[in-house]
Amino acid sequence: ITQNQVLSTVSAPGVVSFSQDFELMQNPALTDVDMTALESVGRHMTVRFAEIPTMSFPSLEVVGGNAKFEDLGVRSASFPSLHSVGLWLVFSRNDALESLNLDALFYVGSLMGIAFNPLLPDCVVDALRSQLEARGGLVNFQSTQNNPDGVCPSPDAGVADGGIDGGVVDGGSPDAG
């Protein structure tokens, strides 16, 4: 879904998978995406150039290729079920991004890049790196120019309160939380 100057909502709550690519690009008026049942994208997932204030894909578990989220007006991005990305996972140039939920993530096949998100606290980025390292799923992690002075959740905070899931991999699967 690309280059729709007046599109404000994408509502497809029953879509479970895309066998190939899923792209939401250059939709400057887009502020709401409802794809709550989406579980998998066979190849690449790209979301760019939109003003979605809160981006949530609660059921998404797997992206087979690249997953890129760039140049968005998003304040909060939540992918609580995403456990693996086949190639690149990138969050870049999101000027309003303050929080990022990737609690189930344990594998990125090539590159994890979180850069140029000036409101995203470095501690959130560091915790995500630690999570991937502890779960054995980190190949190459790059981050730069996020927010070194950002307010971080308390280490005692639960995931629902903005804390990071410190779970480990047991038998190749992430823990339940």
Side-chain angles (χ1 to χ4, degrees), residues 73-125:
V74 65
R75 287 187 313 273
S76 172
S78 181
F79 302 81
S81 301
L82 183 63
H83 58 75
S84 63
V85 175
L87 295 172
W88 293 18
L89 177 57
V90 175
F91 290 87
S92 179
R93 298 180 310 272
N94 299 299
D95 291 340
L97 185 62
E98 296 175 334
S99 69
L100 182 58
N101 175 349
L102 293 162
D103 292 336
L105 189 63
F106 68 86
Y107 177 78
V108 176
S110 181
L111 169 75
M112 175 84 186
I114 302 178
F116 306 103
N117 303 292
L119 299 181
L120 185 65
D122 277 347
C123 60
V124 171
V125 177

Side-chain angles (χ1 to χ4, degrees), residues 3-81:
Q3 299 182 357
N4 294 283
Q5 300 302 309
V6 296
L7 180 69
S8 63
T9 301
V10 172
S11 182
V15 173
V16 175
S17 69
F18 290 97
S19 62
Q20 295 292 316
D21 297 341
F22 170 59
E23 296 179 341
L24 277 175
M25 298 189 329
Q26 298 176 330
N27 300 297
L30 185 61
T31 57
D32 185 36
V33 176
D34 178 8
M35 300 194 77
T36 53
L38 183 63
E39 295 176 0
S40 67
V41 176
R43 286 185 11 144
H44 307 304
M45 180 174 185
T46 305
V47 181
R48 293 185 71 196
F49 300 113
E51 293 300 319
I52 308 164
T54 301
M55 182 170 50
S56 180
F57 289 88
S59 301
L60 184 63
E61 297 177 354
V62 177
V63 176
N66 297 327
K68 294 184 178 181
F69 306 93
E70 302 173 308
D71 303 298
L72 299 170
V74 65
R75 287 187 313 273
S76 172
S78 181
F79 302 81
S81 301

